[in-house]
Amino acid sequence: MARIDFPKDFVWGTATASYQIEGAYQEDGRGLSIWDTFSHTPGKVFNNDNGDIACDSYHRYEEDVALLKKLGVTAYRFSIAWPRIFPQGTGEVNEKGLEYYRKVVDALLEAGIEPCVTLYHWDLPQALQDKGGWDNRDTIDAFVKYAEVVFKAFDGKIKQWITFNETWCVSFLSNYIGLHAPGNTDLQLAINVAHHCMVAHGEAVKKFRALGIRGEIGTTHNLSWCEPYSKSAEDVAAAHRNRAFNNEWFMEPTFKGTYPQFMVDWFASKGAKVPVLPGDMETIAQKIDFIGVNYYSGGFGRYKKGDGLFDCEEVQIGFDKTYMDWNVYAEGLYKVLSWVHEEYGDTPIYITENGACYEDVLAEGNRVHDTLRTDYYKKHFIQCHRLVESGVPLKGYFAWSLLDNFEWAEGYRKRFGIVYTNYETLERYPKDSYYFIQDVIKNGGFEA
Ligand code: GCO
């Protein structure tokens, strides 16, 4: 047993996203988003679940804030639903939408919790999708307009801003793999979407600076770690392609204003190319104040011709798995963030999501003894500590998620919360992992 202590100013938080928790999908003038369309299309989401009600946080945010306060976090990451602010994506601002987030932000500040806001966590107004969505460069302008309205409305109150959550999911998962809204399966389209989202990120950062908005701005990429199964050149290259799909493809433009050439060539061999216009790369590489990283899993890869997009086969080497069937690979977190530091320098890093899905059982007294999830957190906290000790500028950690919520294509069957949501009554019950994190925060660390 060794004691693990975190720096006094280490930021502890939890994270959620609008469509996953809010519900109230037709209330106070909210427009429809691509997730309303997708989830209402039979067969797209497990059990045909949708976010119409979700955790009803639109009406129960005070309860959520009370849970956060009791947990002891100093920050809360949530996202703003674009279609609440601009129901049609552009045009008239819906004041009632802003009003809701004012109430949330004020409640958080009152509780001594810093709001960390994501501008785009996947709920694109359907009206914009109807005109091509992120494939259409006009969506970039619409995003910057939306960002501007929100920046001005919350200037000085929100000090940490994230433009995009997981551009990989927005692009490849949603437009090539097709598992998320809008559900397309076209590689060229996915590459266009990724590029346009990154340009929109850069334009929003420029706007933030030009307006002199107080606070910090960054973006969040979901990184993972694919370790080569052997030292053979083929395995090393295959694992690298696999990693670069999540990591370099997004990190290189963000920090260096270039795309990794070996990946550009690889995509070209599949008939796809990046639609770069003059000035785009400079726009994308605007200096950011921090980088958000979402990390859940990783694994081992080896060369296998024809396996997936990258001729890379995932090798099962006996990792424990979560209920998502994702490997528990805490050391991958250490590896990937060490790599970020080495490759991209001293920009502060926040883990903006990390957490695990397990099959929870509601036990006597409305308790959930989620030992596996608590264990997952412990393992990852140990790696966070290792990172801090080794000089990686890791400044904070947001657990995914505050509460069980609408897990996208998996509907409600996959629970990631440290608080249990009873979807019949909408009551919330803290799980054992909640109390573990509460102790870690209170004591500034734990006995590992
Ligand atoms: C994500 C999303 C979350 C998910 C979580 C678990 O970042 O993928 O931000 O909304 O719920 O990752 O899959």
Side-chain angles (χ1 to χ4, degrees):
M1 296 264 274
R3 171 106 208 139
I4 297 246
D5 284 308
F6 284 87
K8 290 264 173 303
D9 58 353
F10 194 79
V11 173
W12 292 100
T14 68
T16 60
S18 47
Y19 190 69
Q20 295 183 274
I21 66 163
E22 286 178 0
Y25 85 116
Q26 288 180 310
E27 224 161 298
D28 291 337
R30 177 186 179 279
L32 294 181
S33 83
I34 55 174
W35 269 97
D36 296 301
T37 308
F38 192 74
S39 65
H40 284 257
T41 307
K44 296 293 185 189
V45 173
F46 178 79
N47 195 37
N48 292 323
D49 288 343
N50 59 55
D52 294 3
I53 299 173
C55 308
D56 196 32
S57 288
Y58 193 76
H59 299 112
R60 291 166 200 257
Y61 66 91
E62 283 167 312
E63 238 178 281
D64 295 344
V65 173
L67 283 164
L68 289 162
K69 190 171 179 186
K70 188 169 138 208
L71 179 61
V73 289
T74 52
Y76 176 53
R77 174 176 178 237
F78 64 98
S79 75
I80 290 184
W82 183 350
R84 286 200 194 279
I85 312 301
F86 285 101
Q88 297 306 311
T90 53
E92 289 289 297
V93 174
N94 174 35
E95 272 305 320
K96 284 202 165 149
L98 283 175
E99 201 41 52
Y100 166 63
Y101 295 107
R102 273 195 199 102
K103 289 188 292 190
V104 174
V105 167
D106 288 346
L108 288 166
L109 292 174
E110 178 90 0
I113 300 164
E114 287 289 348
C116 164
V117 162
T118 308
L119 288 170
Y120 188 75
H121 203 129
W122 309 354
D123 34 12
L124 183 72
Q126 181 61 41
L128 295 181
Q129 185 62 41
D130 294 343
K131 294 184 224 147
W134 287 112
D135 191 31
N136 180 347
R137 289 186 72 112
D138 290 348
T139 300
I140 300 172
D141 303 331
F143 177 75
V144 177
K145 185 74 211 150
Y146 151 63
E148 177 175 355
V149 166
V150 181
F151 288 153
K152 286 181 175 160
F154 295 100
D155 182 21
K157 286 199 167 183
I158 292 169
K159 305 224 182 61
Q160 197 173 26
W161 297 88
I162 293 170
T163 53
F164 279 77
N165 177 69
E166 303 192 349
T167 311
W168 181 87
C169 289
V170 179
S171 52
F172 293 108
L173 185 62
S174 307
N175 289 286
Y176 170 63
I177 301 169
L179 280 182
H180 280 190
N184 297 310
T185 50
D186 177 336
L187 183 61
Q188 181 61 62
L189 174 63
I191 287 175
N192 297 351
V193 166
H195 184 68
H196 295 155
C197 286
M198 287 195 273
V199 174
H201 153 77
E203 292 290 358
V205 174
K206 280 193 198 166
K207 182 59 81 181
F208 183 85
R209 307 284 187 220
L211 292 168
I213 302 295
R214 288 161 281 180
E216 304 190 329
I217 190 162
T219 190
T220 280
H221 294 315
N222 53 309
L223 306 185
S224 79
W225 193 258
C226 181
E227 186 75 18
Y229 182 67
S230 84
K231 292 201 169 80
S232 83
E234 280 182 330
D235 285 358
V236 169
H240 193 196
R241 285 191 293 274
N242 201 324
R243 281 204 305 276
F245 187 39
N246 282 96
N247 303 355
E248 280 97 321
W249 192 257
F250 299 93
M251 294 292 275
E252 294 277 324
T254 303
F255 283 96
K256 299 183 177 171
T258 52
Y259 279 103
Q261 192 57 43
F262 73 103
M263 290 294 282
V264 172
D265 296 343
W266 189 266
F267 285 136
S269 77
K270 310 280 173 197
K273 64 176 205 295
V274 201
V276 182
L277 295 189
D280 279 1
M281 300 315 289
E282 291 78 2
T283 296
I284 295 174
Q286 294 304 299
K287 191 180 165 345
I288 49 179
D289 302 309
F290 65 90
I291 179 77
V293 174
N294 293 352
Y295 177 85
Y296 288 92
S297 184
F300 282 69
R302 79 174 151 215
Y303 176 73
K304 186 176 174 203
K305 180 108 195 102
D307 197 305
L309 190 53
F310 300 107
D311 294 351
C312 183
E313 171 191 39
E314 192 188 336
V315 192
Q316 300 300 336
I317 63 152
F319 281 115
D320 290 337
K321 304 261 185 188
T322 68
Y323 189 45
M324 292 295 274
D325 209 27
W326 296 348
N327 296 333
V328 178
Y329 186 22
E331 202 177 1
L333 175 65
Y334 179 80
K335 292 191 176 189
V336 76
L337 291 192
S338 300
W339 168 78
V340 168
H341 182 221
E342 213 174 283
E343 198 61 34
Y344 304 108
D346 287 331
T347 302
I349 303 170
Y350 287 86
I351 294 171
T352 39
E353 284 178 30
N354 174 243
C357 168
Y358 288 104
E359 263 183 299
D360 292 316
V361 181
L362 196 57
E364 226 185 285
N366 292 325
R367 294 293 303 255
V368 178
H369 304 301
D370 57 342
T371 322
L372 292 170
R373 185 177 291 102
T374 303
D375 235 54
Y376 180 98
Y377 278 118
K378 270 188 197 156
K379 289 193 173 111
H380 288 78
F381 289 176
I382 290 171
Q383 299 301 327
C384 290
H385 182 255
R386 245 183 107 192
L387 285 158
V388 173
E389 291 286 292
S390 67
V392 172
L394 175 63
K395 303 296 180 196
Y397 177 100
F398 293 79
W400 185 272
S401 177
L402 171 63
L403 66 171
D404 297 334
N405 57 46
F406 177 75
E407 179 53 29
W408 308 114
E410 297 290 348
Y412 293 102
R413 73 166 157 173
K414 297 284 165 85
R415 294 173 178 271
F416 273 87
I418 56 172
V419 172
Y420 185 92
T421 306
N422 177 334
Y423 291 112
E424 317 247 289
T425 64
L426 297 167
E427 276 167 305
R428 285 107 156 103
Y429 307 121
K431 305 178 189 176
D432 286 358
S433 56
Y434 173 99
Y435 294 110
F436 166 67
I437 294 177
Q438 185 183 51
D439 276 349
V440 172
I441 299 173
K442 190 168 79 205
N443 302 322
F446 64 107
E447 292 290 336

